[in-house]
Amino acid sequence: MEHKKYKEWLQLVIAKEITPDQRQLLDTHLRECDECRTELQELEQLMVVLGQRGAPEPSGQLLWEARRGLGEAIRREPSIQSVLTHVTPGAAPVVSKSIATQRSSGFLRNGLGALFGYRIALSSLATVVFGIFVGYLAFGRAGAPAQLASVAQAPIDPVMADHEMGRADIANVRFVESGTDDGKIAIEYDLVRPVRLAADIDDRRMQRLLAYALVNEENPGVRLQAISELKKETRPSPASDVKSAMIEAIKTDPNVGVRRQALRFLGTLRLDGEIKDACLHVLIHDKNPGMRVASIHLLAEATMSGAISGDEVYDVLMDELKKDDDEFLRAQTAAFIQEVSDVQ
Amino acid sequence: MTAPNVLVNTSDKELIHRAQGGEAAAFEELVHRYDQRVLSIAASYTHDPDDSKDIYQEVFLRVYRSLASFQFRSEFPTWIFRITTNVCLTHQMRRKNRTFISLDAEDEEQLIYTPIAGAQPQPASPEQRAQNTEIAAHIQEAVENLSPQQRLVFTLKHYEGYKLREIAVMMECGEGTVKKYLFTATEKMRKRLRKIY
């Protein structure tokens, strides 16, 4: 056998992909070949050095930032923000722009809601312009009806006199086109203007701002304070975007304190399908055992009160019972399953 | 009235159909199922949080743009990881020719280096930590001197733990080609890092 083949097998040893037959032949060769024995030792030492350094794992913070960035990028995707093709019988197809509401919460909608963060403007009448949650997914649904999102104000003219809006800063300059034949270039940029809003918590503008801050603000203290203020709302049911922001927070916020407070907030509401899904998501994905226990308690209360049936969560709980590393959590899950069985 | 769906229990196939029909929550669930692994591959490949995020975003934008035409000829995770390897290979690193590990504390917090199972635990003395930082810089330099394909295969094999045949599927090439990249990469790493062990 060629010596080169033995050298390849040395690599398969450290890659842990050598077959038993190959290993046997290699061991015979190693008894006689100093060069290969030395090389194998060096390869093993290389693996030790690499193993000690380890593989880089992304932190929760990095994952959160990546998801947020993805939401914002999807918002800028032209294929999303435009194009429903309307075909009138006998006429040429007309392409028109349409916008639609997103159906559900999540980083997509809140990433799309980053439009809100960069394009708020206060008019001289102190009317807040809300971002439009744009999100028609053009996945082959030609002709599907579009639903217009509500808009509080006309689109912003980016070239406004400073005195009209207060001092504005330019951020996030992006080149769209350059080096074209006519010598023109196109860029996009964001106008960032400080804005102050003072209102009580029942004010919808305040709620939407706090909901946005909960999902997008980098400082966890601010996100916690947003939840704390939203809890003070006097209406019995929060607005859908507040609930959506809380759900998004418990699923993706890197700070366990924020996730815990958001879960507590949802625990004060009537448990519906979305909240139940969020609790199950926490149970399956959250790395913090306290969060998983809290979600079990929430599901248990909802089952006891009849808001959900045990069948809806049974499979996930059984899976959790088998897989979770945390003994206390498994005990809590077993107790919950027992309670559910007793009730049913 | 149809009971609310539990997306966590929904198959990939069902989620894809629903996402193709315009359901954002379904697409989001798909992302959540695989994005940690995508980000992990990106982080292993680049050792840089900003580059990792760039790759992550590009991967899922491609998935988003192409999902309408996904025809289930392969499994969804296979497809997503193929896109991931392609994006890694073509990604222009922000910090080219970087020869030192970033000393930016923020970067270090965003990427957590965990010793691979079975490795000796990190020693605690300051002198050893300084030595380890220097070793890490040498490793990073050695990895950066690999070709993109060699680097990718080396990363997927030794950091992410994929089998050679799995890597071949992801890179859409033969297992023999993957072995060639791996052997060349490992040989280069061995020679370059010989001085530190």
Side-chain angles (χ1 to χ4, degrees), chain A residues 16-264:
Chain A
K16 298 186 175 60
E17 297 222 26
I18 194 165
T19 66
D21 290 343
Q22 289 169 335
R23 186 73 216 227
Q24 200 170 12
L25 288 168
L26 179 63
D27 285 342
T28 305
H29 174 75
L30 286 173
R31 281 195 276 272
E32 294 159 7
C33 181
D34 292 341
E35 183 189 341
C36 284
R37 269 204 311 278
T38 304
E39 189 168 322
L40 181 59
Q41 279 170 4
E42 287 186 356
L43 285 170
E44 286 168 347
Q45 281 168 330
L46 173 65
M47 289 300 113
V48 167
V49 167
L50 293 177
Q52 281 175 345
R53 169 65 174 161
E57 282 295 322
S59 64
Q61 177 72 23
L62 185 63
L63 182 62
W64 181 75
E65 288 176 10
R67 284 174 175 170
R68 189 181 65 168
L70 177 62
E72 289 172 11
I74 285 179
R75 168 180 63 83
R76 290 197 287 267
E77 274 287 289
S79 62
I80 299 168
Q81 291 181 347
S82 61
V83 198
L84 265 187
T85 303
H86 299 285
V87 179
T88 311
V94 172
V95 173
S96 68
K97 274 200 176 175
S98 69
I99 49 177
T101 50
Q102 272 289 17
R103 202 191 75 138
S104 71
S105 70
F107 72 87
L108 273 183
R109 194 196 71 151
N110 286 296
L112 297 173
L115 179 70
F116 174 78
Y118 286 128
R119 296 182 186 174
I120 294 175
L122 270 180
S123 72
S124 57
L125 297 174
T127 304
V128 175
V129 176
F130 293 133
I132 301 167
F133 292 106
V134 177
Y136 183 81
L137 298 178
F139 290 145
R141 253 198 151 175
Q147 298 162 20
L148 288 174
S150 61
V151 176
Q153 187 81 347
I156 300 160
D157 175 1
V159 187
M160 275 181 166
D162 277 352
H163 74 266
E164 289 177 313
M165 292 291 162
R167 182 169 169 74
D169 290 321
I170 289 176
N172 200 18
V173 176
R174 307 176 289 282
F175 283 91
V176 178
E177 277 180 50
S178 63
T180 57
D181 291 339
D182 61 3
K184 287 187 182 166
I185 60 172
I187 62 171
E188 285 182 2
Y189 59 93
D190 300 321
L191 277 178
V192 183
R193 300 184 180 88
V195 172
R196 186 163 186 259
L197 177 68
D200 62 38
I201 192 55
D202 286 334
D203 187 308
R204 279 293 295 132
R205 298 169 300 166
M206 180 60 75
Q207 289 176 4
R208 291 176 87 164
L209 268 167
L210 291 175
Y212 174 80
L214 172 56
V215 181
N216 291 282
E217 181 50 45
E218 287 201 6
N219 185 326
V222 172
R223 302 199 299 274
L224 275 168
Q225 191 160 0
I227 298 176
S228 170
E229 297 299 335
L230 284 165
K231 277 183 184 170
K232 297 174 187 170
E233 190 195 1
T234 57
R235 292 195 203 101
S237 301
S240 61
D241 49 3
V242 170
K243 189 179 97 174
S244 299
M246 294 290 174
I247 289 174
E248 177 65 12
I250 71 168
K251 283 182 178 180
T252 65
D253 199 291
N255 184 290
V256 67
V258 174
R259 297 201 306 276
R260 182 76 61 85
Q261 291 304 316
L263 188 62
R264 282 196 183 141

